[in-house]
Amino acid sequence: MTDSIATDSIATVRRTAVQTEADRVSADLARRGVDVDAVRARYRQERDRRVRPDGATQYRRATGSFGYYAKDPYTPRTDREPVTTDVEVLVIGGGFGGLVTAARLRGHGVEDIRIMDEAGDFGGTWYWNRYPGIHCDIESYVYMPLLEEVGTVPRWRYAPGEEIRQHAMAIGRTFDLYRDTLFQTRATGLRWDEDDDVWTVETDRGDHFRARFVVTSSGTLTEPKLPGIPGIETFRGHTFHTSRWDYGYTGGTAEGGMTGLADKRVAVVGTGATGIQVVPFVARDAEHLFVFQRTPSTIGVRDNRPTDPAWAASLRPGWQRERQENFIRTVSGAPVDEDLTRDGWTATARIQRTMITGTVDERVDPAERERLDELLDLQHMTDVRARVDEVVEDPATAAALQPWYRYMCKRPAFSDRYLQAFNEPNVTLVDTADTGGITRMTETGVVVGDTEYPVDCVVFATGFEVGVSGVLSGSLPVHGRGGTMLLASWARGPRTLHGFTTHGFPNLFQLGPLQNANSVNFVHVLQDQADHIAELIRSARATGARYVEPTRDAEDAWAATIRATAIDNDAFRAGCTPGYYNREGTATTGNTSFGPGPVVFRDVLADWRAHRMDEVMVTT
């Protein structure tokens, strides 16, 4: 009885604290003249202005007549003989997920590893994306993996893309991963050989070999997409996608100096994370820049700066893991003694949980917690909109750049140069909200409504097809036991154990966001996934298991766990302006992430490995 009274008392105190904070924030908003109901109405209005009936089909893939957008402009293609030698572990994907997995396997004594990637070198998204101004938006000390193992400290708090790409290559050298890697190679088929318990692998280079284990880490943001603008194929000027930046046309480097644009009128289409970084550099170098915006991004302060040499010299062994752990716990809502990062991500952790999973206090009434979350969100977004007014000199432009939606409706952006670029006389913002985007293209320009903007060059900063790379897109057919296709086995929804393995597809491991945890620093999540997969393979080799495969019952139990724990944010996403978070505002599909977040998920995996891992080790 005493324990029950104590529990009730604590719950009352917490509920009172939440109510008190909500009242304090509400009073602050009232003092600033913010009408909560009016803002809600404005959010609905701004959403409705932008929703298109064609939804996600408004985009087209960079294939067919637009396939040149997806070609490799960086590494000349070299001919080679088909590979037929077998391998113990095949890792498909040379980005950070594949690299860390291979590095962990090396640590377990696995020598026979082959990495395969369509790019000409390691780096994944950092190989393809080399546009002007590219930087990571997560602090580089926690974003770039294996810093201590490689023996380096990033030169900048938010590292430029080239430094990150070079670090990926350094991982490859440090762990001797180049020796059997197949670059410029795409896997075209995986088929399970039931007689020999191996995967047969085919590629677009005529390779045909076998692998005991296959790990897929082909990413979720690798397939560039283009807007399906009427007349796009008739434009006679120059076009390219930001993920295949054409420095042959623009001149310069990722640091700028694009002298080829000095006499050019340039259109940048898209104002998401990429456009935010590109615009200031094109504005500086082009004769005139037109920025075509459908929905403005939230622009927080970046505050990038060089790494302090004295701080770097003071770091002790284990510093990166400690900092990474601190960051992921902070943004996931887990308790920490101190926020070591103190940036825009950690400062807004509480209002990120509408989209990013994490720890919440279940003893607080959900309605009370939701009220506080909305008020904190509104308080922050009011500050974001106020900053636009402070920085942008033209009132009409400032008004168009203000984001009217909840904070996590779109991935937040951070920049100390983007808003300032609109104060330059050669920069014009073209808002396309009321026309549903760009109306059409002509031979010489871009049309919005009845107005044509003559341009010489169009740069598409329109992002990627989210979550459709490799296996999930069907571009890599996977045939398991009995010839069953993986996607066919998921026809009624994904079936996995912890997101990594599927019954009927032995020794196949998948990295990615499916049915596991998520975080704003997904590279940390990939590190945890790599640890888990490497431990599964290590155990299989140590115990002499024929293969690793979960049971149907284990898959069903995990699916039930996902359903029970996943945050139901469909209503939140439905109220957002259209974007890839809600499939362009036309549909929500439910949340398939582990609700308690990556910190708890890691503990779940550790406990499972300690007590139940033998259940997936098939020895007979």
Side-chain angles (χ1 to χ4, degrees):
M1 178 69 71
T2 302
D3 290 344
S4 175
I5 293 174
T7 300
D8 290 344
S9 178
I10 293 172
T12 299
V13 170
R14 292 180 181 276
R15 182 165 55 252
T16 301
V18 168
Q19 291 172 338
T20 300
E21 185 174 12
D23 291 341
R24 178 186 58 78
V25 176
S26 181
D28 174 67
L29 292 170
R31 282 193 300 270
R32 298 165 69 176
V34 178
D35 183 324
V36 176
D37 289 333
V39 172
R40 288 173 180 157
R42 178 70 181 271
Y43 284 177
R44 290 192 294 270
Q45 176 190 4
E46 295 295 334
R47 176 195 180 277
D48 293 345
R49 288 175 66 200
R50 293 169 172 85
V51 173
R52 291 170 46 137
D54 51 356
T57 62
Q58 67 187 271
Y59 296 100
R60 64 176 72 184
R61 301 187 70 181
T63 57
S65 60
F66 293 95
Y68 67 94
Y69 283 102
K71 290 182 179 179
D72 186 346
Y74 310 118
T75 305
R77 186 177 177 89
T78 57
D79 294 330
R80 63 170 176 80
E81 292 297 317
V83 172
T84 58
T85 55
D86 296 342
V87 68
E88 183 173 13
V89 182
L90 170 67
V91 178
I92 299 176
F96 281 142
L99 286 168
V100 176
T101 302
R104 295 291 188 245
L105 289 170
R106 281 280 193 259
H108 288 315
V110 182
E111 290 298 317
D112 194 11
I113 301 172
R114 177 176 296 153
I115 298 180
M116 180 187 300
D117 198 284
E118 294 183 53
D121 210 321
F122 291 130
T125 190
W126 299 101
Y127 175 88
W128 296 111
N129 289 276
R130 306 189 194 185
Y131 53 80
I134 182 172
H135 284 68
C136 58
D137 68 356
I138 302 293
E139 188 187 68
S140 58
Y141 316 128
V142 301
Y143 177 80
M144 296 165 65
L146 306 178
L147 289 173
E148 290 189 79
E149 291 84 343
V150 172
T152 188
V153 177
R155 297 192 303 272
W156 287 84
R157 187 184 187 197
Y158 301 95
E162 183 60 16
E163 182 176 4
I164 300 172
R165 186 177 75 88
Q166 292 293 334
H167 179 64
M169 297 163 63
I171 293 173
R173 293 190 297 270
T174 300
F175 293 95
D176 193 21
L177 302 177
Y178 275 99
R179 69 180 184 219
D180 198 21
T181 292
L182 300 178
F183 290 121
Q184 299 180 322
T185 302
R186 179 172 59 87
T188 56
L190 296 173
R191 185 175 294 274
W192 178 248
D193 184 331
E194 298 185 49
D195 294 328
D196 294 329
D197 295 331
V198 294
W199 287 97
T200 59
V201 184
E202 295 182 344
T203 78
D204 63 349
R205 301 295 289 265
D207 306 309
H208 188 93
F209 57 88
R210 305 189 303 173
R212 181 184 178 194
F213 303 100
V214 174
V215 181
T216 65
S217 181
S218 49
T220 60
L221 296 171
T222 60
E223 299 287 341
K225 67 181 182 183
L226 301 172
I229 303 171
I232 188 174
E233 66 283 345
T234 68
F235 180 65
R236 292 186 176 181
H238 197 71
T239 63
F240 55 87
H241 191 276
T242 50
S243 68
R244 307 294 189 271
W245 194 272
D246 189 352
Y247 286 107
Y249 178 83
T250 67
T253 67
E255 299 300 319
M258 294 176 285
T259 56
L261 300 182
D263 60 347
K264 301 294 192 300
R265 295 162 300 176
V266 180
V268 170
V269 179
T271 55
T274 298
I276 301 307
Q277 298 186 89
V278 164
V279 161
F281 285 80
V282 178
R284 186 177 64 186
D285 294 337
E287 177 184 292
H288 199 93
L289 168 63
F290 296 95
V291 180
F292 290 84
Q293 167 193 276
R294 179 183 61 169
T295 307
S297 289
T298 60
I299 310 297
V301 175
R302 166 49 64 225
D303 190 27
N304 199 9
R305 56 182 180 268
T307 298
D308 180 358
W311 175 79
S314 73
L315 297 172
R316 297 184 178 184
W319 72 267
Q320 187 184 28
R321 183 169 291 276
E322 177 187 2
R323 197 173 185 90
Q324 287 177 323
E325 181 67 14
N326 180 270
F327 180 84
I328 203 167
R329 291 182 68 87
T330 301
V331 297
S332 299
V336 296
D337 293 331
E338 178 188 6
D339 175 6
L340 297 179
T341 304
R342 296 192 299 275
D343 71 352
W345 289 112
T346 59
T348 59
R350 295 175 67 180
I351 56 176
Q352 291 171 31
R353 60 188 175 198
T354 49
M355 281 299 296
I356 303 296
T357 56
T359 303
V360 296
D361 190 344
E362 297 295 344
R363 290 169 293 185
V364 175
D365 180 74
E368 294 172 353
R369 186 171 61 239
E370 184 176 340
R371 174 177 178 252
L372 176 58
D373 287 351
E374 183 186 18
L375 290 172
L376 288 169
D377 190 302
L378 178 52
Q379 186 180 51
H380 181 73
M381 291 300 287
T382 300
D383 292 339
V384 168
R385 290 187 284 269
R387 180 175 179 239
V388 177
D389 281 335
E390 292 170 3
V391 173
V392 180
E393 297 168 358
D394 177 64
T397 302
L401 286 167
Q402 288 185 342
W404 289 92
Y405 48 76
R406 291 281 294 270
Y407 184 62
M408 288 303 293
C409 279
K410 297 188 180 301
R411 184 176 174 96
F414 305 90
S415 175
D416 300 326
R417 303 178 64 179
Y418 177 73
L419 294 175
Q420 292 80 350
F422 292 95
N423 293 330
E424 299 300 322
N426 68 322
V427 178
T428 301
L429 177 69
V430 183
D431 189 76
T432 69
D434 289 322
T435 57
I438 293 172
T439 305
R440 59 189 174 90
M441 290 178 67
T442 68
E443 293 182 352
T444 58
V446 178
V447 180
V448 175
D450 297 325
T451 304
E452 179 172 356
Y453 299 88
V455 294
D456 303 294
C457 173
V458 179
V459 179
F460 292 107
T462 45
F464 302 86
E465 295 191 69
V466 179
V468 298
S469 304
V471 172
L472 293 179
S473 71
S475 62
L476 174 53
V478 179
H479 294 82
R481 186 178 290 109
T484 301
M485 290 194 67
L486 180 60
L487 291 186
S489 74
W490 289 354
R492 296 185 178 180
R495 297 182 60 91
T496 74
L497 176 59
H498 302 138
F500 302 109
T501 55
T502 295
H503 181 75
F505 299 84
N507 286 358
L508 178 67
F509 309 93
Q510 180 169 301
L511 286 88
L514 186 68
Q515 288 194 336
N516 48 48
N518 202 355
S519 176
V520 295
N521 183 15
F522 198 66
V523 170
H524 190 157
V525 171
L526 290 174
Q527 288 182 191
D528 289 343
Q529 293 182 1
D531 289 341
H532 183 70
I533 290 172
E535 182 60 25
L536 288 173
I537 293 175
R538 184 209 63 77
S539 182
R541 298 172 83 236
T543 61
R546 288 174 56 200
Y547 49 79
V548 178
E549 182 183 7
T551 64
R552 287 286 192 193
D553 288 343
E555 289 181 336
D556 291 340
W558 183 245
T561 297
I562 293 294
R563 288 194 298 271
T565 65
I567 296 174
D568 182 3
N569 58 11
D570 272 5
F572 173 85
R573 289 190 291 169
C576 289
T577 48
Y580 70 83
Y581 275 7
N582 62 4
R583 295 198 174 190
E584 297 301 327
T586 60
T588 53
T589 57
N591 195 331
T592 62
S593 291
F594 179 70
V599 176
V600 177
F601 181 61
R602 187 174 53 209
D603 293 340
V604 168
L605 293 181
D607 181 74
W608 180 85
R609 289 195 300 268
H611 300 102
R612 302 187 61 182
M613 186 163 62
D614 60 318
E615 296 175 3
V616 302
M617 300 294 164
V618 181
T619 58
T620 58

